[in-house]
């Protein structure tokens, strides 16, 4: 059984600051940028770096000589500070155009807007392009009036993220309660946290009574994190050890939360979901799942069916068993299944060498520390960093650790944590450690591409030294998103005929509220606590989808759960921030397949207006269970009634196309899918089909044009896929319906998978 889905590692807790990223501000806006320059490129003509930087700024001024049609400059670029220690470069007040011009100048390295006073627990909402002025946020009134039921480990109600400032009255339709237990009573609920209950009978029956289960209070942190990711309210001036301050908020900051705390036991999960449906939630978010059970024995699947019947969308996590195929859970068709992706942010440190050269590396060392001018021990014998005895000779110094010595980064960090070395510079190309690992020692991990800078210096310097400044946050890093290596991959072992996961959402290094008084980071024996915590897992991805589903419910109250899911899938982005196909971090950054990312990364603003949806009703799911030869007894276990019949077994009207065969030599090489799309656009529209498939698949769609005359009109089509020329285990492609002017692109993944 899989319980709560945090991707676990030796030390699970990470803490970080996140900053808002107003990268794409209006051109007229002038703001402070931090600019990094390569000092070695300084032209000889300049006496000091200060002169050089001033001249750079001056040349930006002169570029105003060019005629510009639109806005005349109201002010000029100005230099604030020049830096020569923490970084090489300067800060200056610049317009977007000036930053753009700056990028072409000799010696330019990088720049980013100053992020003073803007602490952002969910940089992920910006990564998802949610914008207070346009798109899904205003269209849904930020989720106002929508109730999200969380099936999780409870809440830490004192977290500021549950404040109810600006929240409307609790609607009369709400039937839930706030249950009393140890350290919990009804006065802890409010207009944000409108319900909190616990379900522990199963746990108590199966084991000794555990006090923790007798209250909705979160003793883990997980439920506090996931629920505030879905719908945490705005919290101003949140900070971590005073390092940064700003505003925190969830994906649907005006939605209401109800916590159903469950143990990992099936009976309790079922009871919690059952109560959530009865209480009147609109969306259920469940960041847990049970591996390898058929749907008729899976409480999540069974309860999700009942929820779907009542119009409640159930959003669930795919699991953290990747990158192996067929490891996914919650892979049944009547739920939304989300895998985890990385985001465009890197936690870093700046390593500055004694000769003034500097480089950014990955780091998560949790103190606001700055190690200055430490001598570096570079010694082939020490470099595997595998012996605390040998390393003891490097006490008080920096050591260089190479991971191409057969010792993993994780084990080197562990060895170093038992020594007196002052810090470490790791040379490693491991992209997976940065997704979930922590760094309880002062260290920085350099990419191997940057290693020569260090090694050449070490070889040439007599007494090599370096400084490390921690707690640097880089935004806009790429490629992002990439599929997180740990995210479970399809096909669903228990329901392989439907492609899963459905979508990808931010899951790695997500910051949200945590339980109070908990260690969230450490340095040696020093344990540090913070009210907000950075964690990774499909558990963190799921609440992003749940939040978007809540926003869509707010914007389109009449949409069914299947319509909401369809909108999220067919508008999902299959490209990353370099405009290349999304990569798979579990596959050495090869292109990600739909088995890893489903239709792609959720794109909330596009999901608001998908053009067409693939709708599905309860009887349709039953027809598919019938087609899959489930017995009437098994089907009744799922539907919990005999109200459905098996008179017309049929394919499911799903927004993706899966050809699954466990008979490699099967004679059937042609599969036909029937689909019906509903026009949810503004009226008449004509859609034409396009598709691309790879590696031996061929596709035929009839008709290839769909002409809609009215809103809500339904039209059907047939897709035939030939797999006989397919080589290898799987092949995939896409099928897209596009209207005039490509206002809407309704995109579905097509995948064929064979077990030999
Ligand atoms: C509920 O708990 C809070 C905090 O523990 C306490 O201040 C309050 O008096 C309690 N209220 C009731 C009705 O027990
Ligand atoms: C923000 O927090 C800092 C310290 O954490 C405090 O000094 C400052 O007064 C706070 N500002 C506001 C507006 O609350
Ligand atoms: C490297 O360190 C080992 C162990 O301290 C020592 O025996 C050896 O002489 C050192 N090598 C160099 C080149 O300094
Ligand atoms: C450390 O690694 C080096 C190089 O792989 C190896 O020669 C040495 O035996 C290892 N030492 C220990 C203590 O594992
Ligand atoms: C390490 O990764 C970088 C890019 O991140 C790449 O340029 C370099 O070739 C890699 N080095 C090795 C040895 O794999
Ligand atoms: C269901 O049973 C029928 C009749 O035995 C068979 O032809 C078909 O392949 C089965 N379908 C699946 C999905 O196993
Ligand atoms: C089954 O159908 C009957 C008649 O339509 C209805 O009253 C009953 O509530 C349904 N049962 C379930 C479990 O949906
Ligand atoms: C499938 O076909 C391959 C070659 O075409 C053959 O080697 C293999 O034995 C066949 N497998 C089965 C289960 O028939």
């Amino acid at each position: 059984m899989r319980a709560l889905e945090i991707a676990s590692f030796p030390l699970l807790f990470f803490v970080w600051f996140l900053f808002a990223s107003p990268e794409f501000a209006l051109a007229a806006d002038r703001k402070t940028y931090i600019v990094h320059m390569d000092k070695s490129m300084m032209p000889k003509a300049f006496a000091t770096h200060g002169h050089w930087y001033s001249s750079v700024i001056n040349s930006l001024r002169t570029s105003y000589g060019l005629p510009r049609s639109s806005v005349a400059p109201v002010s000029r670029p100005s230099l604030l500070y020049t830096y020569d220690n923490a970084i090489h470069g300067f800060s200056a007040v610049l317009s977007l155009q000036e930053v753009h011009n700056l990028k072409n100048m000799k010696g330019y390295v990088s720049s980013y807007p100053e992020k003073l006073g803007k602490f952002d627990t969910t940089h992920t909402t910006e990564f998802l392009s949610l914008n207070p002025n346009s798109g899904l946020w205003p269209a849904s009134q930020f989720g106002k009036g929508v109730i999200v039921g969380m099936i999780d480990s409870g809440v830490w109600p004192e977290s500021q993220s549950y404040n109810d400032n600006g929240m409307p009255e609790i609607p009369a339709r709400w039937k839930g309660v706030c249950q009393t237990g140890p350290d919990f009573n009804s006065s802890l609920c409010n207009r944000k946290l409108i319900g909190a209950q616990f379900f522990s009978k199963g746990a108590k029956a199966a084991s000794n009574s555990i006090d923790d289960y007798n209250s909705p209070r979160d003793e883990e942190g997980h439920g506090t994190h996931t629920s505030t990711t879905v719908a945490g309210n705005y919290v101003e001036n949140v900070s971590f050890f005073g390092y940064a301050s700003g505003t925190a908020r969830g994906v649907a900051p005006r939605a209401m939360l109800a916590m159903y705390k469950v143990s990992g036991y099936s009976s309790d999960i079922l009871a919690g979901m059952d109560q959530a449906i009865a209480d009147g939630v609109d969306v259920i978010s469940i960041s847990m799942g049970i591996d390898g059970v058929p749907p008729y024995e899976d409480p999540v699947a069974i309860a999700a069916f009942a929820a779907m019947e009542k119009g409640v969308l159930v959003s669930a996590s795919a699991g953290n068993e990747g990158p192996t195929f067929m490891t996914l859970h919650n892979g049944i068709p009547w739920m939304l299944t989300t895998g985890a992706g990385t985001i465009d942010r890197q936690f870093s440190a700046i390593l500055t060498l004694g000769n003034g050269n500097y480089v950014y590396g990955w780091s998560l060392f949790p103190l606001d520390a700055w190690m200055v001018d430490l001598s570096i021990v570079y010694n082939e014998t020490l470099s595997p960093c595998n012996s605390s005895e040998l390393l003891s000779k490097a006490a008080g110094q920096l050591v260089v650790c190479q991971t191409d010595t057969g010792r993993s980064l994780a084990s080197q960090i562990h060895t170093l944590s038992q020594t007196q070395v002052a810090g470490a510079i790791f040379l490693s190309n491991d992209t997976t450690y940065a997704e979930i690992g922590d760094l309880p020692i002062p260290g920085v991990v350099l990419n191997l591409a940057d290693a020569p800078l260090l090694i050449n210096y070490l070889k040439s310097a007599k007494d090599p030294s370096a400084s490390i400044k921690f707690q640097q946050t880089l935004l806009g890093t790429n490629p992002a998103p990439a599929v997180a290596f740990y995210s479970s991959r399809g096909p669903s072992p228990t329901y392989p005929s439907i492609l899963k996961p459905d979508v990808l959402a931010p899951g790695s290094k997500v910051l949200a509220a945590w339980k109070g008084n908990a260690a969230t980071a450490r340095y040696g024996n020093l344990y540090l606590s913070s009210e907000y915590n950075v964690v990774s897992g499909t558990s963190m991805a799921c609440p992003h989808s749940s939040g978007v589903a809540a926003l869509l419910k707010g914007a389109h109250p009449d949409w069914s759960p299947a319509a909401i899911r369809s909108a999220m899938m067919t508008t999902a982005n299959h490209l990353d921030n370099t405009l290349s196909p999304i990569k798979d971090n579990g596959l050495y950054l090869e292109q990600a397949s739909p088995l890893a990312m489903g239709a792609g990364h959720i794109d909330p603003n596009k999901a608001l207006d998908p053009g067409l949806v693939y709708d599905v009703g309860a009887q349709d799911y039953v027809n598919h269970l019938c087609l899959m030869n489930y017995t009437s007894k098994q089907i009744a276990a799922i539907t919990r009634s005999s109200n459905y019949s098996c008179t017309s077994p049929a394919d499911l009207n799903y927004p993706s196309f899966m050809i699954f065969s466990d008979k490699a030599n099967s004679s059937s090489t042609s599969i036909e899918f029937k689909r019906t799309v509903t026009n949810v656009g503004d009226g008449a529209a004509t859609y034409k089909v396009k598709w691309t498939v790879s590696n031996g698949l061929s596709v035929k769609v009839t008709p290839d044009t769909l002409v809609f005359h009215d809103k809500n009109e339904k039209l059907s089509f047939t897709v035939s896929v030939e797999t006989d020329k397919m080589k290898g285990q799987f092949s995939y492609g896409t099928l897209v319906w596009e209207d005039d002017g490509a206002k809407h692109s309704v995109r579905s993944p097509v995948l064929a998978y064979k077990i030999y």
Side-chain angles (χ1 to χ4, degrees), residues 429 447-449:
N429 260 17
N447 186 285
L448 294 178

Side-chain angles (χ1 to χ4, degrees), residues 301-382:
I302 294 166
F305 192 91
M308 175 273 301
E309 282 179 299
K310 296 233 155 55
V312 176
L313 181 133
V314 178
S315 161
S317 49
N320 297 333
E321 305 299 320
T324 312
F325 291 120
M326 277 198 129
T327 50
L328 175 138
H329 57 212
N330 293 326
I332 43 147
W334 49 91
M335 288 177 15
L336 171 66
T337 314
T338 300
T342 62
I343 57 183
D344 66 338
R345 179 182 61 204
Q346 186 188 302
F347 301 132
S348 327
I350 309 174
L351 173 73
T352 307
L353 305 177
N355 63 3
N357 286 335
Y358 69 93
V359 61
Y360 280 93
W362 180 86
S363 185
L364 247 187
F365 183 61
L367 296 186
D368 183 13
W370 192 353
M371 303 171 58
V372 181
D373 285 342
L374 286 168
S375 61
I376 308 179
V377 183
Y378 179 57
N379 176 319
E380 300 285 344
T381 310
L382 299 178

